[in-house]
């Protein structure tokens, strides 16, 4: 797999002539890390689109075969066959990053702890594992048995911690903040709220770290954009979601959509409301940013009973966006505001399924869109289930 990813990055057309040992040299490490970036972006892109439909961030409006979602996914059903691609892409991203980091340790030796490439590789391992933890129902590592999904959060935490150490050592503030913010998000997922809040408090205003997309080839496009780019796609629509009414009422720039006068309906006859968060084939998808960090602080405060402080964090984000504050006077109202605000800030970023899942499992107060009966995670893929002897 590393051969395939690196060879694509190096322009190699005949994989048969590329020896594995050729990757054990320093000049191969840059393309190796680029391959990690590509694998993560591919997985995030696919999971974000399907997860958006399952969690009703969007609805299906066009053919499932043209960058769309299947009828079962539209109804909130995630089965092993239709989830196979999502499972495989996410695990490819994890394996490519972790195997690449292992190889980099061998090649760089004592220089690994001061290598920017090493820090980047560890970041990709962290984000790939977070993607798995937030979206897959079970954790499976390299042909092993099914485990709790938290195994991926633990692996993510370790990768982010080492990436942060290296970034601080070499004085790379952007990578250090990305690693710190990534760790904050997985500490929150592990229920370690004090640590999550401490990390989140350190992220400076304006910070954002993205997954990148490209115009070069269709499989490098941002699919959330391309699925709504127009004829013949129009595969997803904002119609009938919370975000349709919310944007009409508030004009919040974080959840924009538009009507296309030339294409009022999608191919399925569903009113076509085009998401405008991503407006080009190479539009990046945020992996972590300052706004999410402030919402981690807000949730940590809610869990500690600090309702006024939590609401202050939420309302600061709304003031920055130029929209009115939520009406909330008690703990339940504050939780409702928090749940809505995370949905708004992280809209179409592949993060909603996990939020809905963890809040449902914990039984925290506050209202969220009623998604009763809909799945909140992807099952083990059919290929994994049929080839892994440790999966019953």
């Amino acid at each position: 797999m590393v051969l395939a990813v690196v060879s694509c990055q190096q322009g190699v057309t005949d994989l048969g002539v590329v020896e594995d040992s050729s990757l054990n040299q320093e000049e191969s490490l840059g393309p190796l890390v680029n391959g990690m970036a590509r694998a993560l972006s591919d997985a995030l892109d696919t999971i974000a689109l399907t997860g958006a439909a399952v969690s009703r961030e969007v609805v299906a409006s066009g053919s499932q075969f043209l960058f769309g979602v299947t009828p079962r996914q539209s109804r909130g059903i995630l089965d092993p066959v239709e989830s196979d691609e999502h499972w495989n892409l996410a695990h490819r991203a994890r394996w490519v990053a972790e195997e690449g980091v292992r190889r980099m340790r061998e090649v760089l030796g004592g220089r690994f702890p001061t290598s920017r490439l090493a820090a980047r590789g560890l970041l990709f391992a962290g984000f790939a594992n977070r993607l798995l933890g937030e979206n897959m129902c079970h954790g499976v590592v390299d042909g092993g048995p099914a485990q709790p999904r938290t195994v991926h959060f633990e692996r993510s935490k370790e990768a982010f911690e080492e990436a942060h150490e290296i970034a601080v050592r070499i004085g790379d503030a952007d990578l250090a903040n990305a690693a710190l913010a990534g760790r904050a998000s997985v500490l929150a997922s592990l229920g370690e709220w004090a640590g999550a809040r401490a990390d989140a408090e350190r992220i400076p205003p304006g910070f954002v770290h993205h997954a990148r997309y490209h115009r070069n080839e269709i499989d490098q496009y941002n699919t959330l954009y391309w699925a709504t780019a127009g004829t013949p796609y129009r595969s997803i629509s904002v119609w009938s979601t919370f975000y349709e009414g919310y944007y009409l009422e508030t004009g919040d720039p974080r959840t924009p959509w538009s009507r296309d006068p030339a294409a009022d309906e999608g191919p399925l006859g569903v009113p076509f409301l085009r998401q405008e968060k991503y407006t080009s084939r190479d539009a990046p998808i945020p992996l972590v940013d300052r706004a999410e960090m402030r919402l981690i602080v807000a949730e940590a405060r809610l869990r500690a009973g600090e309702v006024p402080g939590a609401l202050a964090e939420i309302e600061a984000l709304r003031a920055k966006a130029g929209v009115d504050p939520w009406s909330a006077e008690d703990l339940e109202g504050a939780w409702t505001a928090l749940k809505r605000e995370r949905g708004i800030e992280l809209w179409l970023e592949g993060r909603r399924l996990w939020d809905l899942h963890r809040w449902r499992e914990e039984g925290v107060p506050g209202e969220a869109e009623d998604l009763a009966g809909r799945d909140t995670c992807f099952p083990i893929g059919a290929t994994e289930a049929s080839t892994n002897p440790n999966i019953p």
Side-chain angles (χ1 to χ4, degrees), residues 80-332:
V81 173
E82 292 183 349
S83 297
D84 201 42
E85 180 184 19
H86 307 77
W87 178 273
N88 292 337
L89 285 174
H91 276 280
R92 182 184 72 172
R94 177 197 63 79
W95 189 87
V96 166
E98 291 185 345
E99 173 64 14
V101 167
R102 182 200 63 77
R103 191 182 295 268
M104 292 168 74
R105 291 186 196 277
E106 292 183 357
V107 173
L108 294 174
R111 290 178 294 135
F112 182 89
T114 57
S115 168
R116 186 175 187 275
L117 284 174
R120 289 186 63 212
L122 286 161
L123 272 183
F124 291 126
F127 285 120
N129 272 291
R130 188 188 73 175
L131 184 69
L132 285 162
E134 289 186 344
N135 289 282
M136 303 303 155
C137 301
H138 300 90
V140 178
V141 179
D142 297 338
Q147 304 178 65
R149 61 202 293 180
T150 52
V151 67
H152 291 298
F153 292 134
E154 294 289 358
R155 296 171 81 93
S156 181
K157 175 183 172 182
E158 292 177 7
F160 284 137
E161 286 176 347
E162 189 172 10
H164 183 257
E165 291 172 1
I166 294 174
V168 170
R169 190 174 295 123
I170 64 177
D172 192 315
D174 185 69
L175 290 184
N177 283 325
L180 200 63
R183 186 174 68 176
S185 66
V186 296
L187 287 176
S189 294
L190 289 167
E192 300 178 24
W193 285 99
R197 177 176 176 177
D199 282 353
E201 292 274 22
R202 297 170 62 185
I203 303 304
F207 177 78
V208 61
H209 189 77
H210 292 103
R212 300 288 178 180
Y213 296 88
H214 304 280
R215 296 173 176 266
N216 303 345
E217 303 174 20
I218 197 167
D219 60 355
Q220 296 183 24
Y221 294 174
N222 177 324
T223 304
L224 284 161
Y225 162 75
W226 199 235
T228 56
T231 303
Y233 307 126
R234 303 195 303 280
S235 298
I236 55 174
S237 171
V238 185
W239 175 73
S240 79
T241 68
F242 163 81
Y243 304 94
E244 177 192 5
Y246 174 74
Y247 183 67
L248 276 177
E249 181 181 349
T250 67
D252 193 323
R254 298 169 294 176
T255 58
W257 56 262
S258 66
R259 293 183 182 273
D260 186 343
D264 194 50
E265 290 186 350
L268 296 181
V270 171
F272 179 56
L273 308 181
R274 175 184 285 125
Q275 67 77 28
E276 296 284 357
K277 179 168 182 168
Y278 304 116
T279 58
S280 67
R281 288 172 290 174
D282 57 353
I285 296 178
L287 290 167
V288 282
D289 61 19
R290 159 80 171 193
E292 181 193 353
M293 296 301 104
R294 301 320 301 174
L295 288 172
I296 287 175
V297 173
E299 187 163 349
R301 285 184 164 178
L302 272 186
R303 291 172 180 272
E306 303 173 20
V307 174
L311 286 173
E313 294 286 350
I314 294 168
E315 301 319 333
L317 293 175
R318 296 187 64 75
K320 182 178 180 182
V323 293
D324 292 336
W326 295 114
S327 176
E329 298 178 355
D330 56 14
L331 182 62
E332 183 171 356

